[in-house]
Amino acid sequence: MRQAHTVEQVRAAEAALMARLPEGALMMRAAHGLAHAVADWLGSTYGRRVLLLVGSGDNGGDALHAGALLARRGAGVEAWLLSETVHDAGLVALRAAGGRVVPADAAQELRPGARPDVVVDGIVGIGGKPGLRPAAQQALARLEGVPVVAVDVPSGVDVDTGQTPEPHVRADLTVTFGTHKPAHLVDPAAGACGVVHLVDIGLDLPEPGLESLQAADVARLLPRPADDAHKYTRGVVGVRAGSETYPGAGLLSVAGAATGFAGMVRYVGDVAVGDRVRAAHPEVVGAGRVQAWVLGSGAGDGAAATLAEALADAREHDLALVVDADALQHLEAPLDVAAVLTPHAGELARMLGEERADVEARPLHFVRAAARRYGCVVLLKGHHTLVSTPGGRVRATTTGTPWLATAGAGDVLGGMVGALLAAGLTPFDAASVGSWLHGAAATTVSRGAPIVAGQVAGAVADVVRTLPAP
């Protein structure tokens, strides 16, 4: 599990550890990890040019000490000081190692032939406010096009929320210490982090409020049939999706549900759509008892009636629901049944009476708000899909490819989540495991090329085959 902790949690853990270590030891752990990561990223250090952008905080100290280590390995290291006060011991170490120190006001232009191979962003630490001071903005403008390695987080992002309301660094690599931070997993800040490399510095941390499943977690959570299983013990998922106007939504929802996680798939809906479903998926049957319903995609004018029928069935037989698309606008909060709601940003904005741009700027805030309001799990689809419980526990999905932003992909996802619910997973696990598998399947089938939604379901088995043993 990839865990992300808040600034307050990290600061408390750092203080507890520093009380047991010699002065400066924790910073040197971080600096060694940073220097090794930069060296690995460059491929070599001898003769390479490294430019440090140094602010007044501990991240600036990390950058200076790492620069000293790189200088001792043959790199040419220069530091631009973007604050009147910087970490004294780090500055002494860099100078002693042969590094060059330049005040920000003296670093107007790069010296001829001195364009760096990499910039190390040590401007603002995790305790900094969003945004960058003018001196930092000017320095970054002069260095446009040079790869950036961020220390802990890209300077200027909001660490705890993942928001980016002000100018900020865009990194190619972020080297973070002790644990991930929300900004590494939550958009839009996650998009500014590049590849994230975690350095273990020995922090003792509490349970996080934000996490991200990895392959081993999915393998552990994935429902697998017992030796004596039959189709009913493995769960039955029902799909109420599609209409005469949008028949493809029914086909794609069934495709997601029929990926093999549940023992049986039922389709209930438009007769013509049902005929097409059974032609494409002859194993799918008609109406009957289920453990979970998937509904809403492509339902059009029939969405309200479909939702009412599914809610009545869920209340009577203690079933779980996956509610998507057209049915979302007919929900009343809070729900009194187990459910997973799967809106995209525009749909969530309408559900909460907010602007879509605000939801896209603050997805972590709004997915938690929606889960509280509706009293159920909410899956907010996006580049990094977020799944929240009413209590505020969140999982971020980091699998996937930009090619997955295609019509019908959410229909497939809803069907997969429904099948996992029917197979016995909790709504939170079903939503987060389904999202992880959906993204991984898209990456597998894409291989860097365009895809359509119908291809995703067929790649799920290949992904499951590659999971580690649970």
Side-chain angles (χ1 to χ4, degrees):
M1 193 80 72
R2 185 177 294 167
Q3 299 181 331
H5 292 82
T6 65
V7 172
E8 182 179 1
Q9 290 173 320
V10 172
R11 289 296 194 218
E14 287 177 340
L17 182 56
M18 285 189 289
R20 303 193 302 269
L21 294 176
E23 185 176 355
L26 188 59
M27 179 170 286
M28 289 309 301
R29 287 185 186 181
H32 277 276
L34 175 61
H36 283 298
V38 171
D40 289 345
W41 192 79
L42 287 170
S44 63
T45 53
Y46 188 80
R48 308 303 291 269
R49 295 189 177 95
V50 178
L51 176 59
L52 314 176
L53 298 182
V54 181
S56 60
D58 286 346
N59 278 24
D62 295 336
L64 288 166
H65 279 295
L69 295 168
L70 292 167
R72 293 192 184 100
R73 295 176 61 174
V77 182
E78 183 173 295
W80 288 5
L81 307 185
L82 303 179
S83 175
E84 293 182 0
T85 58
V86 296
H87 194 275
D88 289 336
L91 198 60
V92 169
L94 179 64
R95 283 177 167 144
R100 184 171 181 264
V101 178
V102 181
D105 57 4
Q108 296 301 315
E109 299 294 340
L110 292 174
R111 292 179 289 114
R115 184 175 177 81
D117 295 297
V118 67
V119 170
V120 176
D121 160 30
I123 303 170
V124 180
I126 62 172
K129 296 180 180 179
L132 297 170
R133 292 180 178 178
Q137 294 184 51
Q138 293 164 12
L140 290 164
R142 293 196 293 271
L143 296 164
E144 187 175 356
V146 180
V148 176
V149 175
V151 181
D152 222 355
V153 291
S155 292
V157 306
D158 191 309
V159 178
D160 280 348
T161 69
Q163 297 173 40
T164 57
E166 304 290 343
H168 59 278
V169 170
R170 296 193 67 87
D172 298 273
L173 170 69
T174 296
V175 182
T176 194
F177 311 113
T179 181
H180 290 83
K181 285 74 182 178
H184 300 138
L185 301 179
V186 176
D187 289 326
C193 292
V195 177
V196 179
H197 175 75
L198 176 64
V199 175
D200 184 5
I201 56 173
L203 298 183
D204 184 12
L205 292 154
E207 285 297 310
L210 174 65
E211 59 195 13
S212 177
L213 296 182
Q214 304 300 289
D217 305 307
V218 173
R220 174 178 52 82
L221 291 169
L222 197 67
R224 299 174 186 271
D227 290 342
D228 59 350
H230 55 76
K231 60 189 176 186
Y232 295 112
T233 61
R234 295 190 58 211
V236 181
V237 57
V239 177
R240 295 170 176 259
S243 60
E244 182 180 1
T245 306
Y246 305 107
L251 287 163
L252 291 169
S253 295
V254 168
T259 43
F261 298 123
M264 181 185 290
V265 180
R266 298 185 183 276
Y267 179 79
V268 177
D270 183 89
V271 173
V273 176
D275 290 341
R276 295 177 63 173
V277 163
R278 283 180 283 275
H281 303 279
E283 70 277 9
V284 174
V285 299
R289 293 289 300 273
V290 301
Q291 278 72 55
W293 283 110
V294 178
L295 64 131
S297 298
D301 294 339
T306 297
L307 175 62
E309 292 169 4
L311 283 169
D313 197 19
R315 290 170 182 138
E316 182 178 356
H317 297 109
D318 193 24
L319 311 181
L321 304 181
V322 177
V323 185
D324 191 23
D326 298 326
L328 292 169
Q329 63 184 307
H330 300 291
L331 289 171
E332 294 184 3
L335 289 176
D336 57 358
V337 300
V340 177
L341 314 185
T342 60
H344 56 57
E347 292 164 338
L348 189 65
R350 288 192 291 274
M351 292 165 64
L352 297 176
E354 302 285 348
E355 295 295 325
R356 177 172 186 150
D358 292 337
V359 173
E360 291 175 335
R362 304 169 64 196
L364 182 60
H365 168 80
F366 284 112
V367 74
R368 282 175 165 156
R372 284 195 304 271
R373 176 179 294 189
Y374 286 92
C376 63
V377 169
V378 175
L379 182 158
L380 175 57
K381 292 177 283 196
H383 171 241
H384 280 189
T385 290
L386 300 178
V387 179
S388 179
T389 68
R393 184 182 176 194
V394 176
R395 284 179 180 156
T397 300
T398 57
T399 59
T401 167
W403 295 113
L404 187 54
T406 185
D411 302 337
V412 176
L413 172 61
M416 291 173 61
V417 173
L420 292 164
L421 276 174
L425 290 191
T426 66
F428 187 53
D429 286 342
S432 47
V433 169
S435 178
W436 192 97
L437 290 168
H438 184 252
T443 301
T444 296
V445 74
S446 168
R447 298 180 183 177
I451 58 173
V452 294
Q455 296 174 275
V456 175
V460 170
D462 290 335
V463 173
V464 172
R465 221 172 270 123
T466 65
L467 292 175

